[in-house]
Short mmCIF file of all heavy atoms in Angstrom, two decimals:
data_model
loop_
_atom_site.label_atom_id
_atom_site.label_comp_id
_atom_site.label_asym_id
_atom_site.label_seq_id
_atom_site.Cartn_x
_atom_site.Cartn_y
_atom_site.Cartn_z
N HIS A 5 174.75 35.51 94.88
CA HIS A 5 173.50 36.15 94.99
C HIS A 5 173.21 36.70 96.38
O HIS A 5 172.86 37.80 96.67
CB HIS A 5 172.33 35.10 94.55
CG HIS A 5 170.98 35.74 94.88
ND1 HIS A 5 170.36 36.71 94.13
CD2 HIS A 5 170.11 35.43 95.83
CE1 HIS A 5 169.12 36.96 94.60
NE2 HIS A 5 168.98 36.20 95.68
N HIS A 31 176.09 41.63 88.60
CA HIS A 31 175.11 40.57 89.17
C HIS A 31 173.71 41.04 88.90
O HIS A 31 172.91 40.23 88.38
CB HIS A 31 175.27 40.36 90.61
CG HIS A 31 174.37 39.32 91.16
ND1 HIS A 31 174.42 38.08 91.01
CD2 HIS A 31 173.07 39.58 91.87
CE1 HIS A 31 173.39 37.51 91.65
NE2 HIS A 31 172.63 38.35 92.15
N CYS A 35 170.27 39.12 87.37
CA CYS A 35 169.41 38.74 88.52
C CYS A 35 168.22 39.57 88.71
O CYS A 35 168.37 40.71 89.21
CB CYS A 35 170.17 38.47 89.68
SG CYS A 35 169.25 37.82 91.14
N CYS A 38 167.57 40.67 92.52
CA CYS A 38 168.48 41.72 93.10
C CYS A 38 168.17 43.00 92.24
O CYS A 38 168.30 44.04 92.97
CB CYS A 38 169.87 41.30 92.86
SG CYS A 38 170.37 40.04 93.95
ZN1 ZN B 288 170.81 37.95 92.91
#
Side-chain angles (χ1 to χ4, degrees):
H5 170 76
H31 177 78
C35 180
C38 287

